[in-house]
Amino acid sequence: MPRARTKPKRKPRKAAKPGGGRAKRAPARRRSKPEPYVPRLANLLGISQLAPADITAILDQAETFIEVLKRPIPVVPALRGKTVVNLFFEASTRTSTSFALAASRLSAQCVNFSIGSSSVKKGETLLDTARTIEAMRVDGVIIRHSMPGAAHFLSRRIKSFVVNAGDGCHEHPTQALLDAFTLRRRLGTLKDKRVLLVGDIAHSRVARSNILCFSKLGARVAVCGPPTLIPPHIEELGCEVFYRLDRVLYEVDVVNMLRVQTERISSSLFPSVREYRALYGLTAERLSELNTSVVILHPGPVNWGVEMDFEVAELPQALILNQVTNGVAVRMAVLYLLAGGQVGDTDTAETK
Amino acid sequence: MADDRMLLAGGRVIDPASGKVRLVDILVEDGRIARVGKGIRARDAQRIDCRGKHIAPGFIDMHCHLREPGYEDAETILTGTQSALVGGFTRVCPMPNTDPPVDSEAMVRFQIERAEQAGYASVHPVGCCTRNRAGKELAEIGSMREAGAVAVSDDGDWVSDPRVMRRALEYAKAFDMPVISHCEYDGLSDGVSNEGLVSTRLGLRGKPWPSETAAAARDIMLAEFVGARVHIAHVSCAATVDLIRWAKLRRVQVTAEVCPHHFTLTDASLAGFDTNFKVNPPLRTEPDRLAVVEGVVDGTIDVIATDHAPHTSIAKEVEFDKARPGIIGFETAFSLGYEQFVLSGLMSPARYIEKLTLAPARIMGLRTPSVAEGTEAELVILDLKAQWTFSSAQIMSKSHNTPFLERTMQGLVVGGVLGEEHFWLLHAA
């Protein structure tokens, strides 16, 4: 490892890159129906960087891809010749496969940059990895990392676009977008809908992204869980806080269950699985008692019998598998827009 | 090299002891202050035009890290004391968390000798409280004192075993040394930022403020009980300020310091995950920042110390969780404090300078900084009107980990005199 001191050549940070990847109103220059709003995203690091109109534009774009995915040959040539890299420091079959599929449906190549535990053990830092990827000249990088800010770190050091596929307990924006997309398809709109997130809010990147995303789309968001798993000042993100599920479940339109890790028991965050299930589990009894048609989401994988019973997932209002299907379309939309595509332009791209 | 005779003419001399600012000349001969007075005539002396400038005793930094031995890639005693001098600090007290740690007479002598060889700011080491900084057994505090150590501390870690801390406080009484406590309670300090709205937003593991205040409370109570002196390092939160205020009312022998970053910045700066904002204890909220400012103004907090903590770019250019905590501080401390306390109208220049000179000298038992005739010349020349922008190119420290790059500040150390060896004055000053 080079121990020589490298003086950090600090360039003044470009406001346009990490946080400021937000769109400006672009002139609508469309052949068919004019689009009022075209996101110009440099990266997708978090929902916090998106304006409501950005979110809507991504979801609208995903609608067109849903149609594509229903075709006999569900592929468009929109990103032909482009290469994206899946850089997953945390194991995740679902998300990495979803991104890989999304890329291939757009005719882009998706390469897995496998992070051997060996290279990390050899002392390879994220900076080394960033520099390596930069030297390989790819169009985009999808990063999953156990530490908050890893995607921001990468985006400041490489020119290709960066998609945050989960950075520690910080954000998981594509999950929020696909959840919003799934709800919008089911409910028509999120405006004024009551959405309740239940479980380990403190350690959940899905919770953070979803609170922001749903609120930006006009939903009224609440969180529920044991106080030990609710982070301080969460209500300042614009959500209500409940500690008892039964006091709030009956009045919501959507319940978004979160995965709870039994490892949290050893850190004294809750006493037992039994008590957790009794207080916060989405059990069949709880649902039938409430006689409610509340829509159910879960980012998966589910701890059956802990936060949710298997029978609940079988109910028609449980959209867990729709989330997975929609995930591909939403990720297609994200990759497409980040690679410079125009909203609604897929068919044009197809005929090129 | 300074000339044998030098006349600092026309400057306003700040004497923190009396709180007075006088328009007088200072004649320096062979590195000593020969005369202080109005209209001194010394024809053969080199005349330094100090009109429009202020002159004060050199500053003392009672909390810094010079990284030698062990981490010379980040800083050495040479580069660290150069950086200190540029910032106006003529005496510095490095913390002992080097590798190996400064827990013996030999290590103390080593640091002092290195500093003498370097010949810039003088070094007054802080020795370890416990052997190998392990928090288990007392270090040889008496021998370290003999060798020149001025305080003891396991800085970087809290002495978590209350029996060990109690004995350290008691034992250090024999040598009239303060025990400096880095207050971060073990089970509450497994985080990388302040626990609050910002950590919630960013998904960072938080350290709640009781991590600091609970640790400080234990050490203050032990100090009161055994009648020893305790110094609370880098106070970061409102509750600790209140606690120290209460302890001083009880006449506990407690003193405290604050660092420029804690009175200048808040955790809101963490939004971009820039690791140059990662420090221990963490940057806290605006109410905390205001409370430490108030603590300095009302005297609850005695000293401004830099906690100059150089790290290589490799140690900082990593994920926020992995980044080493700490920032360099010598070269920006005076200006940041000047803005915060003097420009704001909260304190007079003399009271502010006192926090950088007399107060640390008193706590560490160092020679009183002064501009009196007959003392060794240890002076800084200040331009309190100068607007300047801190740039990477001018940094004297070996490391560049600072959140203050490109910041424009007012008040600058433009020059100084240190014994026979050093005289400097920035051009255009």
Side-chain angles (χ1 to χ4, degrees):
Chain A
M1 231 174 82
R3 295 300 290 169
R5 185 169 53 97
T6 46
K7 293 215 178 190
K9 297 274 184 316
R10 260 183 181 281
K11 291 173 198 123
R13 201 156 288 145
K14 273 174 251 155
K17 243 218 151 179
R22 261 223 358 253
K24 292 195 185 75
R25 256 164 225 289
R29 204 173 293 130
R30 326 234 3 100
R31 278 187 296 154
S32 50
K33 40 188 186 300
E35 291 292 331
Y37 192 87
V38 181
R40 279 265 167 269
L41 298 173
N43 302 290
L44 181 62
L45 304 181
I47 300 296
S48 62
Q49 70 174 124
L50 300 180
D54 294 328
I55 298 172
T56 311
I58 295 169
L59 302 190
D60 291 347
Q61 183 63 39
E63 286 293 346
T64 72
F65 287 129
I66 281 284
E67 298 313 312
V68 169
L69 290 176
K70 284 181 185 156
R71 294 176 192 172
I73 301 170
V75 181
V76 287
L79 298 188
R80 193 159 52 196
K82 304 264 186 196
T83 310
V84 294
V85 169
N86 255 343
L87 179 63
F88 276 57
F89 290 87
E90 268 187 349
S92 157
T93 318
R94 291 158 169 262
T95 309
S96 67
T97 308
S98 181
F99 270 108
L101 264 178
S104 70
R105 300 286 191 238
L106 292 166
S107 307
Q109 270 207 315
C110 183
V111 183
N112 282 320
F113 192 100
S114 51
I115 307 295
S117 54
S118 61
S119 57
V120 177
K121 272 185 199 140
K122 278 179 203 159
E124 181 165 327
T125 64
L126 187 54
L127 181 63
D128 294 328
T129 309
R131 291 159 61 97
T132 307
I133 288 176
E134 180 68 356
M136 288 174 177
R137 294 168 196 283
V138 297
D139 297 288
V141 181
I142 297 144
I143 179 175
R144 157 74 59 96
H145 197 286
S146 62
M147 294 177 188
H152 294 66
F153 180 97
L154 194 66
S155 75
R156 281 201 286 265
R157 284 158 183 88
I158 64 175
K159 289 189 199 79
S160 358
F161 69 78
V162 172
V163 181
N164 181 3
D167 59 332
C169 305
H170 179 220
E171 281 228 44
H172 190 358
T174 57
Q175 179 73 44
L177 292 168
L178 74 89
D179 287 347
F181 183 74
T182 305
L183 291 178
R184 199 175 77 163
R185 280 179 77 85
R186 171 57 65 108
L187 304 170
T189 175
L190 270 82
K191 187 145 179 52
D192 298 325
K193 298 289 187 245
R194 291 209 64 187
V195 184
L196 179 68
L197 287 94
V198 183
D200 185 354
I201 311 297
H203 300 93
S204 174
R205 50 192 170 217
V206 176
R208 282 171 178 78
S209 288
N210 284 16
I211 291 169
L212 293 173
C213 187
F214 298 163
S215 315
K216 285 181 181 188
L217 294 175
R220 292 164 60 204
V221 183
V223 298
C224 180
T228 44
L229 295 177
I230 307 277
H233 302 290
I234 188 83
E235 63 284 354
E236 289 180 48
L237 300 189
C239 58
E240 275 186 277
V241 177
F242 294 89
Y243 300 137
R244 301 298 297 269
L245 185 57
D246 291 327
R247 294 198 186 146
V248 60
L249 187 59
Y250 68 91
E251 57 181 23
V252 300
D253 302 300
V254 179
V255 56
N256 186 350
M257 302 305 292
L258 299 171
R259 191 178 159 77
V260 67
Q261 288 178 318
T262 48
E263 295 95 287
R264 307 289 177 212
I265 295 173
S266 59
S267 354
S268 293
L269 290 168
F270 65 97
S272 67
V273 166
R274 182 175 160 271
E275 183 156 312
Y276 186 86
R277 180 176 182 277
L279 289 170
Y280 303 104
L282 201 59
T283 57
E285 305 85 60
R286 185 163 261 136
L287 272 188
S288 63
E289 255 173 51
L290 287 162
N291 190 23
T292 169
S293 58
V294 59
V295 171
I296 299 162
L297 298 181
H298 191 300
V302 183
N303 288 306
W304 300 117
V306 185
E307 71 262 15
M308 190 188 282
D309 284 359
F310 189 72
E311 302 93 291
V312 173
E314 300 283 275
L315 296 172
Q317 73 258 40
L319 304 183
I320 299 166
L321 290 175
N322 304 44
Q323 289 173 272
V324 178
T325 310
N326 293 340
V328 178
V330 167
R331 287 175 177 125
M332 285 171 77
V334 167
L335 293 178
Y336 175 72
L337 293 171
L338 287 176
Q342 303 274 301
V343 175
D345 215 15
T346 47
D347 284 315
T348 324
E350 204 174 9
T351 54
K352 254 196 294 215
Chain B
M1 279 296 233
D3 287 4
D4 288 354
R5 276 158 69 84
M6 183 163 45
L7 183 67
L8 304 177
R12 287 173 196 279
V13 177
I14 302 173
D15 178 15
S18 65
K20 283 190 186 135
V21 181
R22 293 177 300 160
L23 189 63
V24 286
D25 301 338
I26 298 176
L27 180 66
V28 178
E29 274 180 10
D30 301 324
R32 304 190 80 80
I33 297 175
R35 278 182 65 196
V36 180
K38 282 193 196 299
I40 296 175
R41 296 175 62 164
R43 261 177 299 132
D44 51 342
Q46 183 194 352
R47 187 186 168 86
I48 313 296
D49 184 1
C50 294
R51 282 176 298 175
K53 308 285 187 299
H54 285 71
I55 298 172
F59 309 146
I60 298 171
D61 186 10
M62 67 175 288
H63 190 145
C64 65
H65 300 269
L66 299 180
R67 301 294 187 225
E68 185 175 348
Y71 309 101
E72 288 88 346
D73 50 348
E75 193 82 286
T76 62
I77 288 175
L78 172 66
T79 58
T81 53
Q82 284 175 332
S83 172
L85 204 52
V86 164
F89 293 93
T90 51
R91 295 181 244 172
V92 297
C93 304
M95 286 294 166
N97 58 342
T98 50
D99 185 18
V102 180
D103 65 349
S104 66
E105 189 185 341
M107 293 297 299
V108 171
R109 287 195 201 288
F110 165 80
Q111 285 198 320
I112 293 173
E113 267 167 37
R114 286 298 254 199
E116 279 168 0
Q117 284 163 11
Y120 294 91
S122 66
V123 163
H124 306 270
V126 176
C128 286
C129 207
T130 65
R131 184 169 292 139
N132 209 23
R133 227 170 57 83
K136 300 267 190 279
E137 299 159 347
L138 289 187
E140 291 180 341
I141 296 174
S143 323
M144 290 194 289
R145 175 58 149 180
E146 285 295 299
V150 290
V152 288
S153 177
D154 279 359
D155 184 59
D157 291 296
W158 189 51
V159 179
S160 60
D161 186 333
R163 286 166 301 188
V164 176
M165 187 58 175
R166 176 206 165 142
R167 297 308 177 201
L169 285 161
E170 280 178 319
Y171 193 79
K173 281 202 299 182
F175 314 102
D176 195 25
M177 290 166 104
V179 177
I180 300 174
S181 179
H182 171 119
C183 295
E184 290 200 288
Y185 212 108
D186 291 12
L188 294 172
S189 302
D190 169 39
V192 297
S193 65
N194 178 53
E195 184 169 330
L197 176 60
V198 171
S199 67
T200 291
R201 234 181 240 288
L202 301 179
L204 292 170
R205 280 175 295 127
K207 292 182 186 184
W209 60 258
S211 147
E212 173 176 293
T213 311
R218 186 204 71 178
D219 292 347
I220 284 170
M221 287 171 195
L222 288 174
E224 176 175 356
F225 182 72
V226 304
R229 290 170 56 197
V230 68
H231 176 83
I232 308 299
H234 38 51
V235 172
S236 70
C237 65
T240 309
V241 179
D242 287 343
L243 174 79
I244 295 166
R245 197 175 283 127
W246 168 83
K248 286 190 166 182
L249 283 174
R250 286 173 71 90
R251 308 237 170 262
V252 183
Q253 298 180 68
V254 59
T255 52
E257 78 198 21
V258 64
C259 307
H261 43 271
H262 286 126
F263 64 64
T264 307
L265 303 171
T266 67
D267 60 353
S269 308
L270 267 46
F273 296 97
D274 183 342
T275 58
N276 282 321
F277 291 98
K278 184 175 174 184
V279 289
N280 267 355
L283 299 177
R284 300 202 190 263
T285 63
E286 182 65 6
D288 291 306
R289 189 187 74 78
L290 293 172
V292 297
V293 168
E294 192 191 348
V296 172
V297 174
D298 73 12
T300 303
I301 295 173
D302 307 83
V303 167
I304 293 165
T306 67
D307 198 2
H308 176 85
H311 290 295
T312 61
S313 62
I314 289 169
K316 279 288 193 184
E317 291 258 308
V318 290
E319 298 88 326
F320 197 88
D321 281 24
K322 286 188 184 167
R324 304 275 304 144
I327 60 180
I328 58 170
F330 288 140
E331 298 170 50
T332 47
F334 172 76
S335 306
L336 292 170
Y338 182 74
E339 282 192 340
Q340 191 61 240
F341 297 107
V342 185
L343 272 184
S344 63
L346 292 171
M347 284 164 84
S348 69
R351 271 208 70 209
Y352 170 56
I353 298 289
E354 193 245 325
K355 305 270 178 196
L356 291 164
T357 52
L358 284 183
R362 222 177 282 135
I363 295 166
M364 303 302 250
L366 296 171
R367 187 167 44 75
T368 307
S370 87
V371 283
E373 289 178 2
T375 58
E376 194 193 272
E378 202 177 333
L379 303 169
V380 287
I381 304 170
L382 311 168
D383 185 338
L384 301 183
K385 298 212 175 63
Q387 301 266 354
W388 65 290
T389 303
F390 189 43
S391 75
S392 180
Q394 77 195 71
I395 295 179
M396 295 296 289
S397 168
K398 205 167 176 179
S399 291
H400 288 209
N401 52 307
T402 167
F404 297 116
L405 275 183
E406 306 309 322
R407 188 186 176 100
T408 299
M409 292 171 267
Q410 182 171 338
L412 178 63
V413 180
V414 291
V417 184
L418 179 56
E420 281 185 281
E421 298 296 316
H422 295 286
F423 162 71
W424 79 103
L425 191 64
L426 297 184
H427 68 97

